[in-house]
Amino acid sequence: MRLRKVKNIEEKIKQFADIIIFEPQLQKGKWRKVFANDNPIHLEIGTGKGNFIVANAIKDPNINFIGCEVSRSIIYKAALKAQNIANLRLINIDASFLQDVFEEEEISHLYLNFSDPWPKARHEKRRLTSPKFLDIYQNLLKKQGIIELKSDDQHFFEYSLVKFHERNWDFLELNLDLHKEQTAEIITTEYEEKFKEIGKTIYYIKVRIKE
Ligand SMILES: C[S@@+](CC[C@H](N)C(=O)[O-])C[C@H]1O[C@@H](n2cnc3c(N)ncnc32)[C@H](O)[C@@H]1O
């Protein structure tokens, strides 16, 4: 996501200490205390400017949502929208470190929305559905946990399907043109809105991990 660096970001971001959990590793295994309830936790990785997670948190107050975003300037934009939503928090980390932040089976549901496709073969390890990341997700997701993925990038999408299939995960839903065929209301992301406007095909898959 291209974004000009926000000036004085370190100063500005401090005001969001109730929304952005600055030392998330201290909450490992204790996220229910952060939310003060036992509701399931849904995690979005690469949350961007936050439209998707904010809309979901408002729609589903009985689910706790966490948005993970590596860029400080981008998470700041998300935090501006995420104020006064009790069931929403943000974490500013690289997804490679999620195991330092969540205990095994602490997460029920995971969203990967328009992840960077990293098309070059030598960058495969950076793709958020490469085996390294799937190992991490398998660890932090509950047994039979769910992953939903949306992408406009056919190569990244096909790569992800193959990687899910290699683990024998159950394909619950597959849609090769989400906005053409789907009539139910879809909560969209910033990227998704742009792609919809120009008529780009959006691919969608929902999988259930094996125990
Ligand atoms: C293409 S943008 C999509 C943003 C948003 N999900 C959307 O659909 O509008 C990808 C986002 O993922 C973030 N990101 C990329 N790699 C990441 C990682 N390893 N951990 C956390 N966030 C990451 C980027 O900073 C960027 O904001």
Side-chain angles (χ1 to χ4, degrees), residues 1-2 44-52 68-72 74-75 91-98 111-118 126 128 132-133 137 150 152 188-193 195:
M1 177 178 283
R2 239 183 276 147
E44 185 187 18
I45 300 178
T47 216
K49 295 183 195 165
N51 280 7
F52 177 86
C68 166
E69 170 56 53
V70 72
S71 156
R72 222 150 166 83
I74 295 174
I75 208 167
I91 55 174
N92 181 210
I93 64 157
D94 185 314
S96 311
F97 301 105
L98 283 170
Y111 304 96
L112 293 166
N113 290 320
F114 302 91
S115 307
D116 298 321
W118 294 110
R126 298 185 194 177
L128 287 178
K132 174 189 107 172
F133 282 104
Y137 307 154
K150 289 194 257 190
D152 64 304
T188 54
T189 75
E190 291 83 9
Y191 270 63
E192 194 168 0
E193 281 301 318
F195 294 143

